[in-house]
Amino acid sequence: MAKKILAVDDSKTMRDMVSFTLKGAGYEVVEAEDGLVALDTIGSNSVDLVITDINMPNMDGIGLVKALRQNPIHSSTPILVLTTESDDNKKNEGRAAGATGWIVKPFEPEKLLKVVQKVCG
């Protein structure tokens, strides 16, 4: 059974790139365009990994990470941040919120797959 990954980004192009990369490696991918839609999409269903951008409308990635960590169903779900933000303060904010890892865009598909495989198998 394929591992299920939720990809959250306000850029459809970026979601398509992430989805294409992950589906090519056999993962099932569900998409959302911001944190609020992600919370609606994930609901009480389990996913094996969440990959989220930081800068999004309605609810940003840090808000999403905090919301997922407060939910007992998703409190231990690995969360990777995939963003253009490379500032150490932002990374520390992400870690403090509960993010598992941080990847800076633009990403190389091989690197993304290597991190995803390490985090969720």
Side-chain angles (χ1 to χ4, degrees), residues 3 5 12 24 29 31-32 38 40 49 55 57 60 65 72 74 77-81 84 86 91-92 95-96 98 121:
K3 299 276 184 171
I5 299 173
K12 180 169 178 5
V29 180
E31 299 179 22
D40 273 353
L49 172 67
N55 300 311
D60 69 9
V65 172
H74 307 297
T77 301
I79 303 171
L80 295 176
V81 175
T84 56
S86 60
K91 288 181 182 178
N92 288 336
R95 273 190 217 107

Side-chain angles (χ1 to χ4, degrees), residues 24-41:
Y27 293 98
E28 178 183 352
V29 180
V30 181
E31 299 179 22
E33 63 263 23
D34 63 42
L36 286 180
V37 175
L39 290 176
D40 273 353
T41 300

Side-chain angles (χ1 to χ4, degrees), residues 9-107:
D9 199 304
D10 59 331
S11 164
K12 180 169 178 5
T13 301
M14 186 55 66
R15 289 195 315 271
D16 288 348
M17 290 172 59
V18 169
S19 183
F20 179 80
T21 299
L22 296 173
K23 285 180 178 176
Y27 293 98
E28 178 183 352
V29 180
V30 181
E31 299 179 22
E33 63 263 23
D34 63 42
L36 286 180
V37 175
L39 290 176
D40 273 353
T41 300
I42 196 170
S44 60
N45 300 311
S46 67
V47 295
D48 297 292
L49 172 67
V50 175
I51 300 175
T52 184
D53 188 15
I54 290 293
N55 300 311
M56 300 180 288
N58 302 317
M59 177 186 276
D60 69 9
I62 298 293
L64 175 62
V65 172
K66 289 178 180 175
L68 291 173
R69 291 298 179 231
Q70 291 173 354
N71 182 328
I73 295 171
H74 307 297
S75 63
S76 62
T77 301
I79 303 171
L80 295 176
V81 175
L82 180 62
T83 181
T84 56
E85 298 279 351
S86 60
D87 179 72
D88 284 341
N89 290 332
K90 208 58 157 172
K91 288 181 182 178
N92 288 336
E93 186 181 355
R95 273 190 217 107
T100 308
W102 197 279
I103 301 172
V104 177
K105 296 177 190 171
F107 71 90

